[in-house]
Amino acid sequence: MARDEKAKAKMEQVKGKTKEASARAVGNESKSGEGRAERAKGDLRQAKEKAKDAFRK
């Protein structure tokens, strides 16, 4: 389960970063904001998983 969550976090980060970069290239601020939000969601998910790993040790 933890691997699935870590993979999902990485995918959200990559997807958000890609969306943000492509939106900036065409000047779409709305999509750029969505990309930043998606990347932040992935960052939070990754932090949660790292915290869970720290408590398991």
Side-chain angles (χ1 to χ4, degrees):
M1 179 78 172
R3 273 188 226 188
D4 293 340
E5 290 295 316
K6 288 179 183 179
K8 190 183 276 189
K10 274 295 182 196
M11 286 303 296
E12 283 177 341
Q13 289 171 333
V14 170
K15 188 175 170 186
K17 195 171 211 174
T18 303
K19 187 183 284 188
E20 182 181 357
S22 63
R24 278 191 186 170
V26 296
N28 188 339
E29 278 300 312
S30 175
K31 287 290 182 186
S32 180
E34 285 179 21
R36 281 193 302 272
E38 198 163 337
R39 190 178 59 186
K41 185 178 172 185
D43 291 343
L44 287 173
R45 187 183 304 265
Q46 185 178 33
K48 178 186 81 171
E49 290 303 315
K50 284 184 178 184
K52 283 173 34 180
D53 287 345
F55 283 111
R56 286 184 188 157
K57 292 182 179 182

